[in-house]
């Protein structure tokens, strides 16, 4: 009998040793499942407009998720007529100049400029994102003007005859005309080629164009064949400045400043013409080297920005390329790797860790750890009973 008890105790101890790793694994699984998801960060920066104009410096800009404000900043300096936000060019570390949003994949961020909603951003990646904020006031509907009723003209006396008793016909009252809504006109500059191009599309003399602000110049050499999309001599070109509304670059890439939409699209040049774009070094992200900047054009068919071999003049802050067709162009930077995403400021801001939010348990639900513990307890009881009854 004593030997039987010793054997039972040995078998029970062995069973408990085998069950111990299972209990440890189950505990680790429950602990891992209970870990909350820590949100990541997006550094937003760019230009801000209200009704097509830069708002006053210090205008409050905020970002909300599900009706809760996550962060806010103040509109900063006015650079080349554009009000910026999210920059800390002086490196002061001033949080009021930065917009850092803690969020998770799939969140929808709603932006407000001066308390007026701008739009939304669906979170599909993290890091630094160049996003222009544009607020447009709704156009008020003009109230119709009430047209007065025409006054009846009394008829002549009841005496017979036609003399002096004629009634003039009523005068038609003109209907009120609707007041047209003024549509903001894009900034365009015409380059007239009609006087310097022959019937074969050959430019007869050198053509030089420079925008009033000097941010874009175009040079066409004499002898260049310039044709429109139909193959006819190109009569002119339009340069449209686009500081907002241009196609956004992919994650890790930046449009530095404004884009330039040069039309007519489809026009070609042989040999290529020279395009020079200036850039503002204050708009270049802090850890981006200026010599790495390029000019890129937007490929409508592919829906992406395409880099062009470029020559950077860091002394004059310009970039020059040769182009053979017209489309949208911009100063551009693409991060060499997705892990090396440049931030908009040279100062690292310590962001407090978010408070973990416990996952609510629905009323009547069952805790996973309790279930695992009950299963293990039942198994242990069955093994002990089996050993004692043998």
């Amino acid at each position: 009998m004593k030997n039987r008890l010793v054997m039972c105790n040995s078998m029970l101890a062995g069973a408990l040793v085998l069950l111990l790793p299972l209990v440890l694994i189950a505990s680790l699984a429950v602990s891992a499942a209970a870990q909350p998801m820590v949100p990541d960060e997006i550094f937003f920066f760019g230009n801000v407009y209200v009704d097509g104009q830069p708002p006053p410096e210090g205008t409050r800009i905020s970002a909300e998720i599900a009706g809760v404000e996550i962060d806010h900043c103040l509109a900063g300096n006015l650079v080349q007529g554009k009000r910026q936000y999210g920059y800390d060019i002086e490196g002061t570390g001033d949080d009021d100049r930065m917009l850092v949003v803690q969020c998770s994949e799939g969140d929808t961020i709603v932006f407000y400029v001066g308390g007026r909603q701008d739009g939304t951003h669906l979170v599909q990646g993290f890091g630094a994102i160049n996003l222009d904020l544009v607020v447009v006031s709704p156009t008020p509907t003009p109230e119709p003007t009430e047209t007065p009723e025409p006054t009846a003209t009394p008829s002549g006396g009841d005496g017979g005859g036609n003399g002096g008793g004629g009634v003039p016909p009523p005068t038609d009252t003109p209907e009120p005309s609707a007041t047209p809504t003024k549509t903001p006109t894009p900034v365009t500059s015409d380059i007239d080629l009609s006087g310097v191009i022959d019937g074969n599309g050959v430019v007869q003399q050198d053509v030089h164009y420079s925008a009033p602000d000097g941010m874009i110049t175009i040079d066409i050499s004499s002898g260049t064949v310039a044709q429109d999309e139909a193959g006819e001599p190109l009569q002119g070109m339009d340069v449209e400045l686009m500081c907002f509304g241009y196609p956004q670059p992919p994650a890790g890439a930046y449009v530095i400043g404004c884009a330039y939409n040069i039309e007519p699209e489809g026009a070609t040049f042989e040999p290529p013409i020279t395009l020079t774009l200036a850039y503002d070094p204050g708009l270049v992200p802090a850890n981006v080297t200026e010599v790495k900047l390029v000019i890129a054009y937007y490929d409508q068919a592919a829906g992406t920005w395409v880099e062009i071999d470029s020559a950077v003049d860091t002394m004059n802050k310009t970039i020059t390329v040769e182009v053979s067709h017209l489309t949208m162009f911009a100063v551009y930077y693409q991060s060499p790797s997705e892990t090396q995403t440049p931030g908009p400021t040279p100062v690292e801001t310590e962001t407090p860790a978010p408070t973990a939010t416990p996952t609510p348990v629905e009323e009547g639900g069952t805790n996973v750890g309790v279930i695992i513990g009950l299963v293990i307890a039942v198994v242990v009881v069955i093994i002990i009973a089996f050993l004692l009854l043998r």
Side-chain angles (χ1 to χ4, degrees):
M1 182 66 177
K2 184 177 180 181
N3 291 336
R4 184 181 180 87
L5 290 175
V6 171
M7 183 180 298
C8 288
N9 291 335
S10 299
M11 294 178 67
L12 179 59
L16 292 176
V17 170
L18 292 175
L19 286 173
L20 184 60
L22 294 176
V23 175
L24 182 59
I25 293 173
S27 301
L28 291 175
V30 173
S31 175
Q35 291 294 328
M37 177 182 291
V38 178
D40 214 321
E41 292 180 340
I42 298 179
F43 292 79
F44 286 103
F45 67 100
N47 302 315
V48 57
Y49 303 86
V50 175
D51 295 331
Q53 301 296 326
E57 182 175 0
T59 298
R60 194 176 192 274
I61 301 169
S62 61
E64 295 185 2
I65 298 177
V68 178
E69 181 176 306
I70 306 302
D71 194 22
H72 72 273
C73 70
L74 303 179
N77 299 330
L78 191 67
V79 178
Q80 296 179 356
K82 299 181 288 292
R83 182 72 65 193
Q84 299 176 344
Y85 81 95
Y87 293 91
D88 182 25
I89 299 173
E90 295 83 4
T92 61
D94 185 1
D95 287 345
D96 285 342
R97 297 296 183 185
M98 303 171 64
L99 189 62
V100 183
V101 179
Q102 288 189 342
C103 52
S104 301
E105 194 83 16
D107 283 348
T108 298
I109 303 174
V110 182
F111 296 94
Y112 292 87
V113 178
R116 298 161 59 184
Q117 182 173 344
D118 162 63
T120 62
H121 174 79
L122 179 62
V123 178
Q124 297 178 325
F126 305 99
I129 294 181
N130 185 352
L131 180 66
D132 289 344
L133 303 179
V134 182
V135 174
V136 179
S137 299
T139 303
T141 303
E143 296 183 1
T145 304
E146 184 177 353
T147 304
E149 294 289 337
T151 304
T153 304
S155 60
D158 54 1
N162 296 327
V167 179
T171 304
D172 292 336
T173 302
E175 296 183 1
S177 58
T179 304
T181 302
K182 185 177 180 181
T183 304
T185 304
V187 181
T188 59
S189 304
D190 294 332
I191 305 174
D192 187 8
L193 300 178
S194 60
V196 297
I197 195 168
D198 65 13
N200 296 320
V202 180
V203 179
Q204 301 299 303
Q205 65 184 49
D206 291 346
V207 176
H208 174 78
Y209 164 79
S210 179
D213 60 1
M215 295 299 289
I216 175 173
T217 60
I218 298 174
D219 290 284
I220 306 175
S221 301
S222 175
T224 299
V225 178
Q227 297 177 327
D228 60 19
E229 191 172 16
E232 298 295 327
L234 185 63
Q235 299 301 310
M237 301 159 57
D238 293 331
V239 180
E240 181 183 358
L241 177 67
M242 299 186 66
C243 293
F244 55 94
Y246 53 77
Q248 290 297 311
Y254 303 90
V255 169
I256 310 298
C258 300
Y260 296 87
N261 190 32
I262 308 179
E263 295 181 332
E265 189 172 354
T268 58
F269 303 90
E270 179 58 42
I273 62 176
T274 302
L275 171 66
T276 301
L277 298 182
Y279 64 91
D280 181 357
L283 300 180
V284 179
N287 52 346
V288 174
T289 307
E290 292 182 24
V291 295
K292 298 295 185 180
L293 299 177
V294 298
I295 290 178
Y297 71 89
Y298 187 71
D299 187 334
Q300 292 279 2
T304 186
W305 289 91
V306 180
E307 298 182 22
I308 310 173
D309 289 336
S310 308
V312 182
D313 183 350
T314 56
M315 292 294 295
N316 295 311
K317 309 303 180 186
T318 60
I319 306 176
T320 302
V321 293
E322 303 293 320
V323 297
S324 59
H325 70 289
L326 298 183
T327 182
M328 186 182 297
F329 299 91
V331 177
Y332 190 81
Y333 174 77
Q334 173 69 59
S335 176
S337 65
E338 294 183 0
T339 57
Q340 187 180 357
T341 304
T345 72
V347 179
E348 294 184 2
T349 304
E350 183 177 352
T351 305
T355 305
T357 303
T359 303
V361 179
E362 293 185 4
E363 202 172 308
T366 306
N367 190 288
V368 178
V370 173
I371 295 175
I372 295 176
L374 289 174
V375 172
I376 294 174
V378 170
V379 172
V380 172
V381 170
I382 292 174
I383 292 175
I384 294 173
F386 175 78
L387 295 176
L388 293 175
L389 295 174
R390 288 186 59 184

